Structure formats: structure tokens, C-alpha cells
Amino acid sequence: LRAPTPSAAAEIAVFDKKQTLNNYKDLIKKSYLLLDNKRQMRQKSVYQTLKNVTNLIDNQIVVAKTNIFTLLKQANTYLTNILDNNVMSFDALNRLLVSLDPNAVLAKGYAKITINGKVVSSVKDMQVKDKISLHLKDGEVKTVVEEIV
């Protein structure tokens, strides 16, 4: 670089302190603006990430609630079926128990015959003059076999 005059060469060789200070101030101001812009961009990025995470968590909560309600419905249906089956089994067993109740048979007019406490189911198990007990719905009758036909 060559100056056309000696005074121009002096201006080039000696820097202007005031101008240099203003240049530094401008650089500092631009640096602050750049840093502030960068900070704002990062802040927006953090807020957006936080918003995305919050939305993701909210969606997962909704899915989890839906899954829980589905499982509760399935468990309710399963337990209701088990209960219904047990009630039907209980009713069937109760009917069977009632039908096998010896007192129910006696109430129909039948009798239980015993000799010395042993049940007699055939005339072959009896002999003339055996002492037998007839058990009826409302009591017991003791008698003696007179004749086997």
C-alpha cells in the first residue's frame, strides 16, 4: 500500500484511537447480539424439546390408561364368567344333593328297611321272624317279618 502524500502516509501509519474504540464497541455490540440470538434459539429449542417430551408423556399416559381400562374390562369379563360358571356348578350340585337326599326319597312314600342297623335291599336278606325297622319320613316303625312271598 502506497500513500499519495506524506500526510496521507502518516494517517495510514498512525491509527485513529477514537475510530478504533468505536470499532471495538461495534464488535462487542455485534457479539452481544449474536450471543443473545444464539441464547434465544437455544431457549426455543429447549422449550420445543420440553413441549415434545410433555406431549409424548401425555400420549403415553393416554395409551396406558386405555390399556388399563381394556385389561380391567377383560378381567371383569373373565371373573364374571368364572362366577357364572361357579354359580351354575353350585346350582347343579345343589339340585343333585337335593335329589340324593334320603329324606326326600322318604318324603315320596318310600321307606328304608334295616335289620340290626344294616340296610336291607332285597327279600333274600330277610327271614321269617326277623325284627326289622322301617324308617319313614317322620319316624321309625319296628316290626317282625311274618311271611316272605
Side-chain angles (χ1 to χ4, degrees), residues 35-51:
L35 286 173
D36 191 49
N37 283 343
K38 199 166 195 175
R39 181 195 57 82
Q40 286 178 2
M41 286 174 44
R42 285 195 178 166
Q43 186 177 18
K44 286 179 183 177
S45 174
V46 167
Y47 285 146
Q48 187 61 43
T49 301
L50 182 61
K51 185 177 177 182

Side-chain angles (χ1 to χ4, degrees), residues 26-40:
D26 284 344
L27 283 173
I28 290 173
K29 194 184 233 184
K30 286 179 184 178
S31 296
Y32 279 130
L33 287 174
L34 286 172
L35 286 173
D36 191 49
N37 283 343
K38 199 166 195 175
R39 181 195 57 82
Q40 286 178 2

Side-chain angles (χ1 to χ4, degrees), residues 24-144:
Y24 283 138
K25 285 182 182 178
D26 284 344
L27 283 173
I28 290 173
K29 194 184 233 184
K30 286 179 184 178
S31 296
Y32 279 130
L33 287 174
L34 286 172
L35 286 173
D36 191 49
N37 283 343
K38 199 166 195 175
R39 181 195 57 82
Q40 286 178 2
M41 286 174 44
R42 285 195 178 166
Q43 186 177 18
K44 286 179 183 177
S45 174
V46 167
Y47 285 146
Q48 187 61 43
T49 301
L50 182 61
K51 185 177 177 182
N52 291 343
V53 168
T54 302
N55 288 338
L56 181 64
I57 290 171
D58 288 344
N59 290 341
Q60 288 177 344
I61 288 172
V62 168
V63 168
K65 281 182 180 179
T66 303
N67 290 342
I68 288 170
F69 287 131
T70 301
L71 289 173
L72 284 174
K73 280 182 178 180
Q74 290 173 349
N76 187 35
T77 301
Y78 177 73
L79 292 175
T80 300
N81 289 340
I82 288 175
L83 184 61
D84 289 345
N85 289 339
N86 286 341
V87 166
M88 287 190 298
S89 295
F90 178 78
D91 288 344
L93 289 173
N94 191 40
R95 285 191 302 273
L96 181 62
L97 188 61
V98 167
S99 72
L100 296 175
D101 182 11
N103 292 325
V105 173
L106 296 177
K108 293 179 181 180
Y110 294 96
K112 178 174 85 171
I113 303 169
T114 60
I115 298 175
N116 296 326
K118 292 183 181 178
V119 175
V120 176
S121 61
S122 173
V123 292
K124 294 177 186 173
D125 297 334
M126 290 188 232
Q127 296 177 0
V128 175
K129 295 194 181 192
D130 275 347
K131 293 179 182 178
I132 63 171
S133 297
L134 301 173
H135 300 273
L136 303 169
K137 74 173 182 177
D138 55 354
E140 181 179 352
V141 175
K142 295 198 182 257
T143 187
V144 176

